[in-house]
Amino acid sequence: MSISEPPHGTSSGAAADPASLPLQVRAGLGSGESFWHTKSAAGLPALTLTDGPHGVRVQPGLADHLGLAASAPATCFPPAAGLAQSWDRALVARVGRALADESRALGVGILLGPAVNIKRDPRCGRNFEYFSEDPFLSGTLGAAWVEGLQAGGVGASVKHFAANNAEYDRMRSDSRVGPRALREIYLKSFERVVTESRPWTVMCSYNKINGVYASENRWLLTDVLRHQWGFAGAVVSDWGAVTDRVAALVAGLDLAMPGGDPSLDADVVAAVEAGRLDPAVVDAAAVRVLTLLVRAAANTDPVVADLDAHHALAREAAGRSIALLKNTGDLLPLRADGALAVVGEFAVHPRYQGGGSSHVNAARLDIPLDEIRARAAGAVTYAPGYGSGDDPQRLIDDAVAGAAAADAAVVFLGLSDHAESEGYDRVDIALPAGQLRLLEAVAAAQPRTVVVLCHGGVVRLAEVDRLAAAVLDGALLGQGGGSAVADVLFGLVNPSGRLAETVPERLQDAPSFLNFPGEHSRVLYGEGIFVGYRGYDARAIEVTYPFGHGLSYTTFRYDTAAAAVEGEEIVVTVSLTNTGPRDGREVVQIYAAKPVSDIARAPQELRGFQVVDLARGATGAVTVRIPRADFAYWDDRVDDWVVEGGEYVLRIGSSSRNIVHTIAIHLDGDGVRVPLTENSTIGEVLADPVAGPRLISMFQQSAAAMPDQDSLGTGMLKMIESIPLGRLKLFGVALTREVLDHLLQADP
């Protein structure tokens, strides 16, 4: 089975000098010709952009951005919620490369993905399309996806830039984020993708960021993206995100989509002719769009996408993305010759992708029940357990009867495509009550009960953990998920997935609980940097399953660990042994902590990881290199990244809460000097290597004017540390303008 590439039009050629093009043409390059196409110009064919990220959604007929109209068949790979659980850079890159083949075969030059927004709150309706609650993991996997896609000659469009973390009122909502959280959490994944994999385009989001729409935010699109990160590609709008083309151009947006409204181009022309818009701004955007057309036209050689091979890859990716959360008494893997009861409608009508703009018309679909029966040697019965029907109790009774008569039961639970989708958020994280009643009844009749979960956003699993003997979490697994689940159940694949987000005991425990989704078109990111596991750890809250958690059918021993500072890198080495009965895969995770710090910090943060395949009985050495820059925090006093000097502790283990080794290292600090003003406190001035001694000398000369420390107690210094320097004169300290200027001057 294959997709053949259609004719793509004229050959490429160098981008024309925009000065040689009429103003109307230059302005027109900044908007699309139609819903999914740019304009053609300078002998270059129009460029087709279409939705991803887990499959190519090409609509040959009526076009829309909500996944309503039919699209051409394509491979549906695991969405990011599932694929992220592989923690596998190489696998993600292979998926990207396969997507490039299918994109080119369908005439697509840019695939809209990856989506690297942070899973700030488990209720976000679009979490299925995002990788993780952690920016390091999100950025690393996103960069691998882009590298794979663009190696195949198709451009990426990393999205949605930025701070787009809820679907509620998403076209107007204002994300109010502090500078440190914005840099360390919400921009960091984008920065990693942009600087490591150089995507052709970046897609700006709908929302405002601290009062300014992303499409009109010059600080975001020009100062940060282009000047600080060195992005040289084109900025594309999300579909319908631009209301003011002129303001967007000035901010740094190059291509407004969708196209088809000539009045927007006319606005640009009128602004230039009236002197309100510098024509150089229009030219710069035109050059970037022409460069895209040249890049796309250079990759029009015929491509045949092998959908059979891609389905095999989708199945492999799904198998690598399944996380074994619990396995009491080594219930899994199941014996193939045992009698098995399969329960749950998702076993025959699998939920394998999310709803909305990324919805793929899957070229084929593996059905879990069919795949289980194909691998089982014993009897396999099926009962829906829930779903359509007038008698829920009868559905449960039938499921219980089948489970009681079998050697084990496999119960499929999860969320329907109506429960979570692009466009709206969830109100809770509970599994449907009917499903939990079913599980309780089945588990009571059959203690050897396995639960298989399918969902795009995290669900509360406290009851599932209490009732089930074993739990497999696939999130969403794409079209090969049915085969992958059967492979893992019977041990043909040893599970190696790891959770990319925390599973809380209750929704109320989520760090963002009181500030989601917002109100009156505003949302306060009140938890700051304490997102996901950072927030649970900081408040010492128990969770059902921690970030990074996942079990295996074999066991691993972390023998030794060491770390050394080598120039601008910290090199961590771990010796690992597979001590169990099967070949297996471990994900070695490295978290960094700074026990003593001058700033508020999360107890630990992911700073490195490595996937390791080991045969049974084998020992392997794992080396992880962490750039020193990854230990920096955003210092909003100097608007820059700063490495704080001192001792750091590297915490090495198999999840954020299963730490096996800890290693202390010392890093020299950056020695940043914060500019001092008369509003700086005495404590801040005393801490400055230049101004501090001057202030002490001044105090010594003014001792007669200062109260005796003994009369105020030993805490006098602490008491006066918070007094702004300029207010000392109110306390009788002579502080003329000349003295103050001398005290604060930067030169020694």
Side-chain angles (χ1 to χ4, degrees), residues 87 498 558 574 576 586-590 606 608-612 622 624 652-654:
W87 289 55
R498 300 293 186 268
Y558 286 67
V574 180
L576 189 72
E586 176 70 322
V587 181
V588 177
Q589 301 165 40
I590 302 172
L606 183 69
F609 63 89
Q610 188 67 51
V611 174
V612 186
V622 181
V624 178
I652 302 164
S654 60

Side-chain angles (χ1 to χ4, degrees), residues 166-505:
E167 292 299 284
Y168 166 77
D169 202 16
R170 63 176 176 161
M171 286 192 160
R172 302 183 306 171
S173 183
D174 183 4
S175 298
R176 305 286 181 91
V177 197
R180 188 173 165 211
L182 188 58
R183 290 284 189 162
E184 293 185 24
I185 305 295
Y186 299 102
L187 295 184
K188 194 62 179 176
S189 54
F190 288 95
E191 180 182 8
R192 189 170 298 275
V193 175
V194 166
T195 57
E196 291 186 2
S197 59
R198 304 293 178 183
W200 291 11
T201 71
V202 168
M203 180 193 290
C204 79
S205 55
Y206 291 119
N207 54 288
K208 296 177 182 176
I209 301 167
N210 294 324
V212 181
Y213 279 112
S215 64
E216 301 173 11
N217 196 317
R218 184 172 176 80
W219 172 84
L220 181 73
L221 303 183
T222 297
D223 297 346
V224 173
L225 181 61
R226 295 197 186 281
H227 295 166
Q228 296 177 17
W229 298 351
F231 177 65
V235 177
V236 181
S237 77
D238 203 341
W239 265 235
V242 175
T243 57
D244 188 330
R245 271 284 308 284
V246 174
L249 271 171
V250 171
L253 187 131
D254 303 304
L255 178 60
M257 294 296 290
D261 183 355
S263 68
L264 299 179
D265 299 339
D267 290 344
V268 174
V269 172
V272 171
E273 292 176 342
R276 293 185 291 108
L277 177 62
D278 186 345
V281 173
V282 180
D283 291 350
V287 166
R288 288 191 279 263
V289 174
L290 284 169
T291 300
L292 283 183
L293 300 185
V294 170
R295 277 180 154 176
N299 292 283
T300 57
D301 296 336
V303 169
V304 175
D306 187 339
L307 294 189
D308 291 330
H310 290 178
H311 181 75
L313 176 59
R315 172 179 168 178
E316 178 190 350
R320 291 300 187 192
S321 301
I322 294 173
L324 174 61
L325 303 184
K326 181 182 180 181
N327 194 19
T328 304
D330 292 333
L331 170 56
L332 293 176
L334 298 171
R335 290 176 48 189
D337 59 355
L340 188 62
V342 177
V343 177
E345 273 214 346
F346 288 130
V348 293
H349 301 292
R351 170 91 192 289
Y352 60 97
Q353 65 174 319
S357 62
S358 66
H359 192 88
V360 178
N361 180 11
R364 58 192 281 192
L365 179 62
D366 292 346
I367 304 301
L369 179 60
D370 294 344
E371 301 300 329
I372 289 171
R373 283 178 167 155
R375 289 157 182 75
V380 177
T381 63
Y382 169 71
Y386 53 82
S388 58
D390 299 327
D391 188 354
Q393 187 57 50
R394 182 184 60 79
L395 292 175
I396 292 177
D397 289 344
D398 290 346
V400 168
D407 295 315
V410 177
V411 182
F412 285 76
L413 305 177
L415 300 178
S416 72
D417 52 7
H418 299 293
E420 52 183 356
S421 170
E422 177 182 356
Y424 55 88
D425 298 307
R426 292 188 288 162
V427 297
D428 58 45
I429 60 171
L431 285 168
Q435 291 187 18
L436 292 177
R437 286 194 297 270
L438 168 69
L439 176 61
E440 185 167 26
V442 169
Q446 175 52 267
R448 293 169 55 82
T449 293
V450 182
V451 166
V452 177
L453 297 165
C454 42
H455 55 96
V458 72
V459 290
R460 184 173 184 267
L461 295 177
E463 287 299 292
V464 173
D465 181 73
R466 180 178 66 84
L467 294 169
V471 181
L472 290 177
D473 190 350
L476 297 178
L477 292 174
Q479 68 182 49
S483 288
V485 167
D487 289 342
V488 171
L489 284 172
F490 290 107
L492 301 175
V493 168
N494 190 346
S496 58
R498 300 293 186 268
L499 291 179
E501 57 184 319
T502 306
V503 180
E505 286 284 301

